[in-house]
Amino acid sequence: MLSLDQLIWDHPMYSKDGELNEVWVSGVAPDGPPWGMRTSTETPQGKTNGYNEMQQHENIIESYEDLQKILINAGLPETEDRSKQPRTGHTMDTTTICVFGAPSFAMSILLEGARQCPGKILLCLSTSWFCPAPTSPATTVNLFIKQAVTFDLGGRTYLDTFSPPRRVTYLSWLGGPQFLMGEQWDCPIGGSPQLSLLLANTLGVRILLDTKELPLTPALLLSNSYQLGFWGKGTMKAKSTRVVELCQKGQEETIRLEISAFLSSLKMKGYQKVVLKTFWPYPGRSPATSFYSSQDTLQVSNVVVGFFSELPLGQAVLLEGFVMTVPQCRIKPSPPPACIPRCSVRPPELTIRLCAVVCRSRGDQPILSKVVCMVGRAEKPLCHRFTLPQSLDTTLELWGVLNETQKRKIMVQIKDTAEKAMKAIMEEEKKMNHKERGGNKVQTDILGVDMLLTYVDYMVSPVILGVTTDLCLESCGIHESVLGSQATGKSTSVGSASGLLIETMLRRSMMYVMEGKEVLVIGAGGISKKFIWEAAQNYGIKIHLVDSNPGHFASSLVTSFTHYNYEDCSCDDEEHAQNILSAVREKGLHFSGCMTFWDECTILAAILCHMLGLPGPPANAVRLAKRKTQTQLRLLNMTAPSPPFPYAGAFAVPCFPLGPGTGGVEAAESVLSYPLVLKPESGAGAVGVRLIQDAEECRRLVKKMGVESESCNLLNNDGHSTIDAGGVCHKEEVCEPRNVGRCEPEVPELGLSNGVSSIDPTEPIKAAIQTPPPLLAEYITGSEHDVDLVMGFNGRLLAAYVSDNGPTLLPGFTETAAALPSRLSQE
């Protein structure tokens, strides 16, 4: 596959170099800076503000027309104008991801965003569509948008206005006027003019990557007071780049000596050619990249000396070893028929340019999102916009690499190199102040890394050429469009390069919305919950904690702590909730939410949610969920929804309670078949769960739990019990107040306290301590899994995560492993 520019390169009427030179700026990669900063935003001399407004209006129309052409070519409907009916119903907490930049660069992001968060990702075509919050004494201000192009499901787009203006919760800057970034916006931002200029400094980025020992070609940098910028701090630590600062005295002699030594080292390493690049301290036309033989020391020296003698101070020359791409595996073609003469023309040598897109993920970890390849002639440089992108798998097969193991090894190397490059830039950004990054919450969330494949010690290895983010995104978007994967309303066979980026945008957006929110949390739990309080501090969430332990370690990790003994069994849950409500109201606290992370406090938290008028599960639903037999009975009794969806009973397990008056083990044996599972009515983590093989073992274990196998009475028979219509036992337990521990008792032999113990296991069980009524359930064979659900306020499923627990240790069902995602089949 040949690129168009390679076919017409030598034509006297066409010169790609000349076209590219017009948009080059100092110290940038051959394709230009990462975010397309190639035009000045300054007003021409003598022009008025009216000219600015007219020019801005023309730019909006031009960008809007470009968007329509892109949508039509992608097979998507044109934008519908809804600006006459302003959008309402949004709040300050509504997720609003705004993309500011050229539509061609942003389409991959916008269409993937329409799939993941329809109606919440907007394209802004002009700074006039933004509006800041009213002036305030704060150092940062909220950013609002009053008009935008909204991307929705199926690739549908709408030109919308918002009344009131919609608060931006994430801004993705993909180039454009810089004055928008002059304010210290409060929202998280991906990219900025300042970061764009730093990434556009090819020499500086090269030296940074070199200090991290990433694969680069050997290079010699001859500088005449050239400013490398922020990235140039590590020139002395560079491994494969020699940096030479030239002086006026003896400059020519130094140049010739350095070039001679450098070319000699290249020849020893097997490099047959050298690449010469020039960089200037000011915007202007740059000479084309030129190639010379590594044997011709005199010619290379004369060219470089000529550069420094004719131009003022501030320029730099970079000499790099020319990388030979991994040669194609020659496959002998079948001989043509006798009537067709053989072609004696020798085909040109080809090269592969890799374009790897890396996204910032959770915990500031870089993850490779996508790799596309471009193929062209080896003796001349490849540019993104003049080559057709294709997948790495397809390219390797065309190159003769058919072994799947070899493909995987090459992909692993590309992934490792690209992610290390992103990590290096992220680490350097942390060292910058807010002004150098362009804002308080500005960071690089996506990066494109250009690479070649070559041989290093007889192994196929990638070599980094540079970083060009917007062009890499554009190339990936072209690849997705050609394969028809941009249509968001249908399943796609090719993953989007922006999938991980959208997840990062949503995460940063949601964290921004959560900043300053005040949440009432009931129950601190154990040491295993420590990460929650640390995460809340990182997210800026104000936690107001209520716990029965006055010296709990979490009291110092939250915004406020209230000690209240909700373990006092002399009060019921409603009374405890009312007392807690009075305590927090005395402090003048107002909450955005109420919840718990501790199983013992779920009912209490649900009651408080209702009292505070906050979203949460109904208390009756939580009570139902905490009793296993009631949960199973509820599932078995549900007859809706009707097919084609499964009945809830399909997910239930036959079980029988062993509470007073239920008939005991004999009654359970009449409806259940051995082997059985004995477990407590409430609890988690397989605590107190046992596999029972026969009737004798069942009676022995039931007796140990304090339940007589025939009478099924608790050790303490002072309580009153009732049986509901479903055959589920309700016992009115009488608990004496205790200073320490839970009302739910512990049986030392079986450990039914759910991991919380305040009782000496050597002491006999006191009469005041009652065991929760156990149950028997049929033993279901198969693999064990955890299903974690996230539910919306209206009961809609928002997310579900299925993990594998691995084989359990019988007879106690202790989990031995955990794996996420699950290796189950899609069914």
Side-chain angles (χ1 to χ4, degrees):
M1 183 184 294
L2 294 180
S3 59
L4 176 62
D5 61 310
Q6 308 298 346
L7 300 179
I8 58 178
W9 184 287
D10 299 323
H11 196 282
M13 296 299 294
Y14 178 83
S15 172
K16 184 185 67 178
D17 290 334
E19 184 185 47
L20 291 179
N21 290 339
E22 294 178 1
V23 295
W24 278 6
V25 294
S26 86
V28 301
D31 285 306
W35 297 119
M37 291 174 52
R38 305 181 182 114
T39 57
S40 174
T41 57
E42 297 180 359
T43 305
Q45 188 173 3
K47 300 298 182 179
T48 63
N49 290 335
Y51 172 85
N52 280 337
E53 295 176 0
M54 181 179 65
Q55 185 66 36
Q56 190 176 59
H57 181 69
E58 292 177 356
N59 292 338
I60 295 174
I61 294 176
E62 182 179 356
S63 298
Y64 188 81
E65 290 176 348
D66 289 343
L67 173 62
Q68 303 314 305
K69 294 175 183 178
I70 293 172
L71 293 173
I72 292 173
N73 290 336
L76 300 173
E78 296 182 58
T79 302
E80 179 183 339
D81 187 356
R82 299 192 304 192
S83 57
K84 301 298 184 183
Q85 299 85 32
R87 302 292 100 185
T88 59
H90 49 273
T91 66
M92 290 286 286
D93 294 341
T94 301
T95 300
T96 304
I97 298 176
C98 184
V99 179
F100 183 69
S104 62
F105 295 153
M107 285 307 294
S108 176
I109 299 175
L110 293 167
L111 292 175
E112 176 64 19
R115 188 186 68 82
Q116 292 195 34
C117 51
K120 297 180 180 179
I121 187 161
L122 314 174
L123 172 63
C124 183
L125 300 178
S126 171
T127 55
S128 63
W129 291 7
F130 289 105
C131 58
T135 56
S136 64
T139 56
T140 58
V141 294
N142 291 325
L143 179 63
F144 291 81
I145 189 166
K146 56 186 178 182
Q147 186 172 5
V149 178
T150 304
F151 280 72
D152 212 334
L153 285 173
R156 293 175 296 177
T157 55
Y158 305 96
L159 180 61
D160 285 331
T161 55
F162 304 101
S163 178
R166 191 165 167 174
R167 187 174 75 142
V168 177
T169 57
Y170 181 94
L171 175 63
S172 176
W173 188 81
L174 299 181
Q178 300 184 32
F179 59 85
L180 170 68
M181 308 300 291
E183 297 283 350
Q184 288 295 321
W185 304 119
D186 188 48
C187 65
I189 301 174
S192 69
Q194 290 83 349
L195 291 181
S196 180
L197 285 174
L198 289 172
L199 296 176
N201 191 329
T202 302
L203 298 182
V205 171
R206 178 193 169 85
I207 291 175
L208 169 67
L209 301 180
D210 203 355
T211 58
K212 304 299 181 180
E213 300 185 9
L214 288 168
L216 297 164
T217 58
L220 171 64
L221 175 60
L222 300 172
S223 173
N224 192 347
S225 302
Y226 186 86
Q227 299 298 319
L228 295 175
F230 181 86
W231 305 129
K233 297 178 181 179
T235 53
M236 301 301 295
K237 300 179 182 179
K239 305 296 181 181
S240 62
T241 306
R242 175 169 171 76
V243 181
V244 178
E245 292 286 346
L246 299 174
C247 301
Q248 290 297 323
K249 184 178 181 180
Q251 177 175 281
E252 180 177 345
E253 182 181 358
T254 303
I255 292 174
R256 294 186 182 277
L257 288 174
E258 292 290 347
I259 290 178
S260 177
F262 177 68
L263 294 183
S264 297
S265 66
L266 287 185
K267 287 184 286 185
M268 293 179 62
K269 296 175 182 178
Y271 288 90
Q272 300 177 0
K273 293 183 181 181
V274 63
V275 184
L276 190 151
K277 302 176 182 178
T278 54
F279 302 91
W280 313 107
Y282 51 85
R285 296 178 63 87
S286 299
T289 300
S290 51
F291 303 85
Y292 299 93
S293 171
S294 58
Q295 307 287 339
D296 199 345
T297 304
L298 180 60
Q299 182 185 11
V300 176
S301 299
N302 290 338
V303 172
V304 176
V305 169
F307 282 144
F308 284 105
S309 61
E310 296 175 1
L311 295 172
L313 296 176
Q315 69 269 24
V317 172
L318 182 69
L319 295 170
E320 292 181 314
F322 182 82
V323 180
M324 295 298 296
T325 305
V326 174
Q328 290 179 277
C329 298
R330 300 297 182 183
I331 302 175
K332 186 177 181 180
S334 57
C339 60
I340 300 179
R342 286 180 174 270
C343 178
S344 60
V345 177
R346 182 181 178 182
E349 295 292 331
L350 301 180
T351 186
I352 306 173
R353 179 171 182 165
L354 304 173
C355 178
V357 176
V358 188
C359 296
R360 184 192 297 255
S361 186
R362 293 180 182 273
D364 285 341
Q365 293 300 314
I367 297 182
L368 180 67
S369 176
K370 189 170 185 176
V371 178
V372 294
C373 304
M374 290 153 283
V375 178
R377 290 184 46 174
E379 72 272 12
K380 296 176 181 179
L382 293 176
C383 293
H384 290 80
R385 290 174 171 174
F386 295 92
T387 51
L388 294 176
Q390 58 191 26
S391 69
L392 176 63
D393 189 72
T394 298
T395 306
L396 292 178
E397 288 186 358
L398 293 175
W399 232 247
V401 182
L402 304 178
N403 185 278
E404 294 297 328
T405 301
Q406 292 179 345
K407 290 181 184 179
R408 285 195 297 271
K409 288 182 178 179
I410 293 174
M411 184 62 186
V412 168
Q413 290 188 79
I414 294 171
K415 173 180 171 65
D416 182 64
T417 302
E419 290 178 353
K420 284 183 178 178
M422 176 73 164
K423 188 70 173 179
I425 290 178
M426 288 164 47
E427 289 175 353
E428 289 302 311
E429 283 186 8
K430 291 180 180 179
K431 302 176 184 178
M432 300 178 184
N433 56 41
H434 299 163
K435 185 176 181 180
E436 289 172 329
R437 290 200 307 268
N440 183 36
K441 298 179 181 179
V442 174
Q443 64 185 32
T444 298
D445 285 335
I446 187 169
L447 187 73
V449 184
D450 285 332
M451 291 179 280
L452 293 177
L453 286 179
T454 188
Y455 274 136
V456 176
D457 297 331
Y458 304 99
M459 296 289 294
V460 177
S461 302
V463 177
I464 296 178
L465 297 178
V467 293
T468 53
T469 303
D470 64 336
L471 294 171
C472 287
L473 265 179
E474 188 179 56
S475 297
C476 291
I478 293 171
H479 180 247
E480 295 160 14
S481 178
V482 169
L483 296 179
S485 64
Q486 281 192 342
T488 56
K490 58 184 180 182
S491 60
T492 61
S493 59
V494 178
S496 171
S498 305
L500 293 175
L501 176 62
I502 296 299
E503 292 180 14
T504 298
M505 291 176 169
L506 287 170
R507 184 176 68 256
R508 293 188 67 192
S509 177
M510 293 174 184
M511 289 174 61
Y512 173 61
V513 169
M514 287 297 294
E515 282 183 6
K517 291 289 189 290
E518 303 193 33
V519 181
L520 177 64
V521 177
I522 310 300
I527 193 67
S528 63
K529 306 300 181 183
K530 182 179 179 182
F531 76 97
I532 295 175
W533 321 121
E534 296 171 346
Q537 289 180 334
N538 295 334
Y539 295 158
I541 302 173
K542 298 179 180 180
I543 298 293
H544 301 281
L545 180 62
V546 178
D547 194 78
S548 59
N549 180 5
H552 199 286
F553 74 90
S555 61
S556 61
L557 302 177
V558 295
T559 303
S560 73
F561 179 78
T562 301
H563 170 242
Y564 177 79
N565 185 19
Y566 48 71
E567 296 179 342
D568 183 359
C569 295
S570 62
C571 300
D572 58 20
D573 290 325
E574 280 72 15
E575 290 179 282
H576 283 313
Q578 189 61 54
N579 294 337
I580 293 175
L581 184 62
S582 300
V584 295
R585 281 180 173 171
E586 287 179 1
K587 297 183 178 182
L589 300 177
H590 300 278
F591 308 108
S592 301
C594 174
M595 61 188 306
T596 183
F597 301 100
W598 197 240
D599 186 64
E600 306 299 333
C601 300
T602 51
I603 297 177
L604 183 57
I607 296 172
L608 278 166
C609 282
H610 176 71
M611 290 181 173
L612 291 167
L614 298 172
N620 288 338
V622 179
R623 288 190 176 97
L624 179 69
K626 283 185 66 66
R627 298 291 292 266
K628 294 184 175 68
T629 51
Q630 291 190 16
T631 301
Q632 301 290 352
L633 183 64
R634 177 65 174 167
L635 294 175
L636 290 169
N637 288 338
M638 287 184 65
T639 58
S642 58
F645 300 102
Y647 289 104
F651 303 102
V653 178
C655 60
F656 195 91
L658 295 181
T662 58
V665 175
E666 289 77 8
E669 289 174 333
S670 65
V671 294
L672 303 177
S673 302
Y674 287 100
L676 299 175
V677 177
L678 179 67
K679 62 175 68 175
E681 270 284 5
S682 61
V687 176
V689 182
R690 288 282 168 169
L691 177 63
I692 298 175
Q693 299 289 351
D694 50 40
E696 180 182 353
E697 182 182 8
C698 179
R699 284 164 172 77
R700 178 171 57 83
L701 287 176
V702 168
K703 188 175 182 180
K704 281 187 177 182
M705 295 183 67
V707 180
E708 297 295 337
S709 59
E710 295 183 1
S711 63
C712 288
N713 294 325
L714 294 177
L715 291 179
N716 180 10
N717 295 318
D718 294 335
H720 303 282
S721 60
T722 58
I723 306 295
D724 64 9
V728 179
C729 170
H730 296 274
K731 180 165 180 65
E732 299 175 7
E733 300 176 355
V734 180
C735 294
E736 298 296 332
R738 305 195 306 274
N739 294 328
V740 188
R742 303 291 303 158
C743 291
E744 294 185 3
E746 177 185 34
V747 178
E749 260 187 89
L750 294 180
L752 300 180
S753 64
N754 204 16
V756 181
S757 175
S758 59
I759 304 174
D760 188 351
T762 61
E763 296 181 1
I765 302 175
K766 297 179 181 180
I769 302 178
Q770 302 173 354
T771 61
L775 65 91
L776 286 171
E778 287 190 352
Y779 174 53
I780 305 299
T781 60
S783 55
E784 181 174 319
H785 307 269
D786 288 343
V787 182
D788 298 298
L789 307 178
V790 181
M791 308 295 293
F793 298 153
N794 58 355
R796 183 183 297 275
L797 178 65
L798 300 181
Y801 304 93
V802 181
S803 57
D804 302 338
N805 288 339
T808 54
L809 297 179
L810 299 178
F813 294 94
T814 303
E815 298 174 7
T816 58
L820 181 69
S822 171
R823 286 181 285 269
L824 289 171
S825 68
Q826 186 63 32
E827 288 182 306

